[in-house]
Amino acid sequence: MCAAGLGAAVLFQRSMPDAVMEFGGGLPISLALSLLIAVLVALAIGAVRPRSLALLPVAALYAGGAVLTGQVTGSSVLIGTALRSPGGRAPRGVDDINLPNFNAGLQDALSLYRAPLAESWAAWLCIAVAAVAAFALVNLRVVRVRRAQSAQAAATEVEETQEPEYRAPFEPAQQPSPKPAADLFTPRKSTGD
């Protein structure tokens, strides 16, 4: 779902206003989408087994893979539509999303990741942001759940080791308040003469 959403965003990025896409070369939008994917992955994975440390690398790999898949899918359909249509037009609608367009542009879309890091750093940055954010969010969830469960286990252990307090049958639940010791200068209570 995350990969499909990012693929659609890449595919229809030209329908966005020019001012939005020109700001930062479109990188802030890509990073925001990567963070959104990381949050969705962290919420889904954190709900499954919130205590397992094995989920940390799984969350990072899943979020990075979703961003990679979305970028490749959107770019390949975008490039394939331009290659297969007369005049190299951009995709105009959902009708242009099909398997022949995907297959035609797949090699060019994958070449983005084969390029040197100096040329393709933005694509790798989006993947890294999604992976690190998903790892951190799931890590926070796991640590919080583990601390809560260990505190609860410690409180249960303390309750089990304490001996219950014995009370006589007619002893009040609350002890009477202590009275100060009498001295020579303290007036005595009148006995109700």
Side-chain angles (χ1 to χ4, degrees), residues 107-177:
Q107 289 301 319
D108 291 333
L110 289 176
S111 68
L112 171 70
Y113 296 101
R114 286 187 236 135
L117 190 61
E119 296 173 15
S120 64
W121 65 270
W124 289 104
L125 177 67
C126 293
I127 294 170
V129 164
V132 169
F135 183 89
L137 290 172
V138 173
N139 186 30
L140 287 173
R141 171 88 172 136
V142 167
V143 167
R144 188 175 61 190
V145 168
R146 284 181 165 238
R147 284 185 184 161
Q149 287 179 346
S150 66
Q152 184 180 9
T156 305
E157 183 180 315
V158 167
E159 287 177 5
E160 290 174 357
T161 58
Q162 286 182 347
E163 202 171 299
E165 183 181 335
Y166 173 75
R167 291 197 181 132
F170 294 106
E171 185 177 339
Q174 189 176 24
Q175 297 290 334
S177 60

Side-chain angles (χ1 to χ4, degrees), residues 23-87:
F23 177 71
L27 188 61
I29 291 177
S30 298
L31 292 176
L33 289 172
S34 297
L35 286 175
L36 178 65
I37 288 172
V39 168
L40 290 175
V41 167
L43 288 174
I45 288 181
V48 175
R49 292 185 57 109
R51 185 173 162 78
S52 177
L53 288 174
L55 291 178
L56 299 175
V58 170
L61 289 173
Y62 191 80
V67 171
L68 174 72
T69 305
Q71 287 176 343
V72 168
T73 303
S75 298
S76 61
V77 171
L78 181 71
I79 294 168
T81 303
L83 290 175
R84 294 187 70 230
S85 65

